[in-house]
Amino acid sequence: MSQSETAGLYPPTAEQAARAHADKETYDAMYAASIADPDAFWGEHGKRVDWIKPYSKVKNTSFAPGSIDIKWYEDGTLNVAANCVDRHLKDRGNQTAIIWEPDEASDEAQHITYQQLHAHVCKFANVLKEMGVSKGDRVVIYMPMIPQAAYAMLACARIGAIHSIVFAGFSPDALGARVNACGAKVVITSDGAPRGGRVTNLKDNVNQALRDDFNEVKCLVVKRTGQQIAWRDGLDFWLHEMEENVSNDCPPEEVAAEDPLFVLYTSGSTGQPKGVVHSTGGYLVYAAMTHQYTFDYHDGDIFWCTADVGWVTGHSYIVYGPLANGATTVMFEGVPTYPDAGRFWAVCEKHKVNQFYTAPTAIRALMGQGNSFVEKYDLSDIKVLGTVGEPINPEAWNWYNDVVGKGRAPIVDTWWQTETGGHLLTPLPGATATKPGSATLPFFGIQPVILEPTTGAELTDTAAEGVLCIKDSWPGQMRTVWGDHDRFEKTYFADYKNYYFTGDGCRRDEDGYYWITGRVDDVINVSGHRMGTAEVESALVAHSKVAESAVVGYPHEIKGQGIYAYVTLMNGVEPSDELRKELETWVRSEIGPIAKPDLIQWAPGLPKTRSGKIMRRILRKIAEDDFGSLGDTSTLADPSVVEDLIENRMNRG
Ligand code: 6R9
């Protein structure tokens, strides 16, 4: 290990290693076993799930061109709701399954026990049946972060229906497109959705989405706010009214391991959203196992993932993984900055959260508000901190580690995708010495490879940089694109034959640690030097006056591509030419002269998707002065930031 890297290395303490499910020795042994004999390894770990009919076959997968086929536990049958609820009743019926924290800090939190969860899910499932939903049918869920969203997911699973959650921040058009794409029979929603003190009329959005061509699609409405809503007679039903007339008893349907559990639409950088299809058996095994090991979850722990159930992170680490493990999982309806920037930490203190999992973008935003919001609260119950969604810059990592974790809680930087179902690269808290900014090492059964981007040759030296692919299947892998298996093959298996292509660039250091450098479409080539835009961003954000930055390439006469940096300053810092020079010099000194931004544009806001990802496609277009073809901006959290950026670009002179 090189000296510079030893300095930034954070090994688990002896105490963390001792209490963990896996210390380094265990991780090494289990990882080796998982690669040497996947059938034996996953055959054994598949038993963490209760099967109705046990599997006799474990792995049957092919990445071969023309016959991409992924099956795990294919002759087994099970029910996901029975695994997430019923099987816990005997030993922990009175344990809290879900802690619900509402948007308003002054409103009371709810504690739902496994026993109560069982009753809610059975009733809900019977309501769906009553509405004509049966095994294999699709149900769209468009809900705020309320317990009924989890009941709805588990109710679908209980009767073998396939859910497709559409994030409640999406527009009526986006919702309609997804209802149509998966051919849903029913949409589940609520009257209103409070978030950050503002209420969205979700039912109105559903009405708009389902106008015209959707006269067959029924809507089930959960009463959340009691506000006035428009009703479609004969097609709309209140959940609480329907529940009055159904039985409490709903036996779980026997579902084949390879039957789909859910479809989740995810946008690529171009084109129509893809319906990512996840299986029942393999997905559940993988979500549960990663939840237990990555977060070192133990019985009695309180686990909080701040994602929304509209994203894959919410599926795997709010609902399915934690509940399959009999955990107590926190569901939060609100936002990190309401009523103030201390909300996350207030909730952690109040519910004595042991594992906290959030996104770097939230960490950076809260870091910009100062330490006092964190220091007010007692966070001594936190044992593990997690991040997901994008690379975390060392500056934010250090703040998370020092100010939130007080240096006591290992940080797990989990790299994965909607497509992967669960974590693929991640530290384990008791096993892996972490390095700020690295997702570190593969989870059990995962064989990451780095390929030379143009030739596709596998780079076998330990230190290497290229595109990240995965060599063989794992149980949580997506099975197909809904209704379009050909697109599945073209998107993930055509560029590099016999591998799953992640779309991410990656560097492996001399210790074998993986560093995600960003999507490969974000790689820029400056004077023949390939550079991850994330590297420059990370340098910029390390400057004390910078809150956030996004870097893209733009055509440059001499260098091929130049570096264009959008910079959001910390609260109260004024832009100036001096500061621009200071930042240029700063990046030069942090990375080297080749990384010095050619242009810096002050950006009061960056265009982000509602899940917090920066839309670099739009920033690239603005940097290229190509304002006419910005593409679809309707999925942005705040489309008005784009106009600001264009105006400033044009005023640059
Ligand atoms: C779970 C989720 C997937 C893309 C992925 C990558 C980026 C996710 C990351 C990360 C660096 C991490 N990404 N986790 N990059 N470090 N720890 O986010 O799924 O929304 O499908 O996004 O997000 O670029 O390819 P999804």
Side-chain angles (χ1 to χ4, degrees):
M1 190 166 297
S2 73
Q3 264 206 321
S4 63
E5 265 157 3
T6 319
L9 195 69
Y10 295 75
T13 63
E15 189 210 335
Q16 284 158 358
R19 75 170 178 230
H21 292 296
D23 60 8
K24 183 165 186 319
E25 223 171 287
T26 309
Y27 166 76
D28 288 344
M30 284 175 75
Y31 182 74
S34 73
I35 303 305
D37 191 347
D39 275 293
F41 183 86
W42 291 113
E44 183 57 31
H45 289 283
K47 293 181 194 154
R48 63 166 42 249
V49 158
D50 282 355
W51 298 84
I52 297 169
K53 176 170 164 282
Y55 47 87
S56 70
K57 265 185 159 164
V58 178
K59 180 176 187 287
N60 181 8
T61 67
S62 160
F63 287 3
S67 57
I68 308 298
D69 194 17
I70 296 152
K71 295 195 193 93
W72 286 88
Y73 311 112
E74 61 188 285
D75 60 349
T77 65
L78 71 162
N79 184 280
V80 166
N83 272 284
C84 289
V85 187
D86 306 38
R87 69 164 166 163
H88 304 309
L89 295 180
K90 194 165 124 290
D91 296 328
R92 56 177 106 234
N94 293 323
Q95 182 201 304
T96 300
I98 297 174
I99 297 175
W100 178 64
E101 174 70 23
D103 188 46
E104 290 297 337
S106 53
D107 286 353
E108 217 174 304
Q110 276 179 28
H111 291 73
I112 298 120
T113 66
Y114 273 97
Q115 193 71 57
Q116 290 164 334
L117 181 61
H118 181 259
H120 286 300
V121 171
C122 286
K123 279 262 186 194
F124 209 125
N126 280 331
V127 169
L128 291 177
K129 280 191 194 166
E130 191 70 25
M131 290 175 78
V133 179
S134 51
K135 192 171 176 178
D137 287 343
R138 274 80 59 208
V139 172
V140 162
I141 299 174
Y142 183 69
M143 296 258 265
M145 283 288 291
I146 53 178
Q148 288 84 353
Y151 308 162
M153 293 164 78
L154 293 163
C156 288
R158 194 166 193 89
I159 63 175
I162 302 165
H163 62 69
S164 183
I165 307 190
V166 178
F167 176 59
F170 275 123
S171 66
D173 284 351
L175 171 64
R178 285 158 175 75
V179 171
N180 189 39
C182 72
K185 261 192 177 171
V186 170
V187 175
I188 306 173
T189 193
S190 72
D191 46 1
R195 210 160 168 261
R198 282 185 304 194
V199 177
T200 310
N201 189 326
L202 279 191
K203 178 65 172 70
D204 255 10
N205 287 358
V206 174
N207 291 351
Q208 276 188 57
L210 300 186
R211 65 184 184 263
D212 310 331
D213 303 332
F214 295 96
N215 294 331
E216 308 279 291
V217 181
K218 293 178 184 167
C219 184
L220 181 63
V221 188
V222 176
K223 196 173 208 165
R224 166 68 185 94
T225 56
Q227 69 199 86
Q228 197 72 31
I229 53 172
W231 211 243
R232 302 175 313 151
D233 283 331
L235 287 171
D236 293 343
F237 304 86
W238 281 115
L239 175 71
H240 61 273
E241 286 178 3
M242 294 292 287
E243 282 189 338
E244 280 169 19
N245 301 315
V246 297
S247 134
N248 289 329
D249 184 40
C250 178
E253 190 79 26
E254 180 171 357
V255 178
E258 280 302 320
D259 284 348
L261 175 64
F262 65 85
V263 180
L264 184 56
Y265 284 85
T266 184
S267 36
S269 32
T270 52
Q272 290 300 306
K274 294 179 286 276
V276 169
V277 177
H278 278 290
S279 70
T280 294
Y283 170 82
L284 190 67
V285 169
Y286 201 74
M289 187 156 174
T290 48
H291 172 259
Q292 183 191 352
Y293 279 89
T294 301
F295 300 110
D296 196 38
Y297 187 87
H298 292 264
D299 278 351
D301 285 347
I302 313 291
F303 179 81
W304 183 17
C305 164
T306 70
D308 190 282
V309 291
W311 312 117
V312 73
T313 306
H315 286 63
S316 299
Y317 302 113
I318 294 175
V319 178
Y320 292 119
L323 295 179
N325 290 334
T328 299
T329 183
V330 177
M331 269 182 100
F332 174 43
E333 189 179 31
V335 298
T337 48
Y338 181 79
D340 64 35
R343 186 68 189 277
F344 272 0
W345 323 121
V347 174
C348 282
E349 177 186 273
K350 179 173 167 193
H351 298 302
K352 301 193 183 331
V353 169
N354 299 117
Q355 289 93 359
F356 177 75
Y357 189 33
T358 196
T361 185
I363 297 169
R364 285 194 298 266
L366 297 178
M367 179 174 77
Q369 302 289 319
N371 297 355
S372 63
F373 285 106
V374 190
E375 285 161 356
K376 273 197 274 200
Y377 298 101
D378 174 6
L379 302 180
S380 58
D381 288 304
I382 292 181
K383 293 191 286 191
V384 175
L385 292 170
T387 69
V388 57
E390 53 180 319
I392 181 164
N393 49 298
E395 187 74 1
W397 196 99
N398 285 323
W399 185 82
Y400 201 33
N401 186 59
D402 300 343
V403 180
V404 179
K406 314 279 187 292
R408 286 191 304 256
I411 295 180
V412 289
D413 173 350
T414 62
W415 174 86
W416 59 297
Q417 311 175 297
T418 304
E419 293 88 340
T420 70
H423 310 140
L424 296 201
L425 297 174
T426 180
L428 303 187
T432 317
T434 55
K435 298 183 187 186
S438 170
T440 74
L441 300 172
F443 193 75
F444 308 128
I446 305 304
Q447 298 183 58
V449 291
I450 295 190
L451 305 187
E452 206 291 316
T454 39
T455 63
E458 190 174 325
L459 301 175
T460 50
D461 289 349
T462 307
E465 183 160 354
V467 295
L468 179 64
C469 288
I470 312 293
K471 209 174 196 164
D472 199 357
S473 185
W474 63 99
Q477 184 172 23
M478 74 182 281
R479 300 303 197 250
T480 189
V481 170
W482 182 261
D484 197 348
H485 197 66
D486 199 40
R487 188 166 175 204
F488 179 53
E489 172 150 3
K490 285 212 175 81
T491 309
Y492 303 104
F493 301 94
D495 292 354
Y496 304 103
K497 301 272 184 283
N498 299 303
Y499 297 100
Y500 166 76
F501 173 46
T502 66
D504 278 329
C506 187
R507 180 169 71 82
R508 187 168 55 213
D509 70 18
E510 61 263 42
D511 300 318
Y513 275 45
Y514 291 85
W515 301 73
I516 302 295
T517 52
R519 301 293 300 191
V520 283
D521 36 19
D522 295 331
V523 170
I524 51 179
N525 194 319
V526 184
S527 307
H529 299 282
R530 185 176 295 149
M531 203 172 348
T533 50
E535 279 178 68
V536 186
E537 288 165 12
S538 169
L540 282 165
V541 178
H543 191 282
S544 62
K545 292 177 185 155
V546 175
E548 193 155 38
S549 101
V551 170
V552 297
Y554 76 104
H556 189 287
E557 258 181 40
I558 296 163
K559 301 177 173 181
Q561 275 187 305
I563 300 177
Y564 194 112
Y566 296 86
V567 170
T568 309
L569 295 171
M570 288 285 189
N571 271 349
V573 178
E574 286 301 314
S576 67
D577 283 344
E578 256 162 57
L579 182 53
R580 183 174 279 129
K581 291 229 166 56
E582 191 179 322
L583 294 181
E584 288 171 0
T585 315
W586 170 264
V587 176
R588 267 179 86 102
S589 64
E590 285 282 294
I591 307 178
I594 55 155
K596 182 180 90 59
D598 296 281
L599 291 170
I600 292 178
Q601 174 172 346
W602 309 120
L606 293 170
K608 291 184 182 171
T609 62
R610 291 187 177 87
S611 66
K613 287 202 171 59
I614 295 169
M615 299 268 285
R616 287 192 173 66
R617 175 173 59 80
I618 291 172
L619 294 174
R620 271 196 295 272
K621 292 282 182 196
I622 297 174
E624 291 165 18
D625 284 351
D626 186 5
F627 312 128
S629 56
L630 292 181
D632 181 16
T633 56
S634 67
T635 58
L636 288 178
D638 177 8
S640 74
V641 301
V642 173
E643 284 146 43
D644 277 6
L645 291 175
I646 291 176
E647 213 161 49
N648 280 311
R649 176 70 179 100
M650 292 180 132
N651 291 342
R652 285 187 48 82

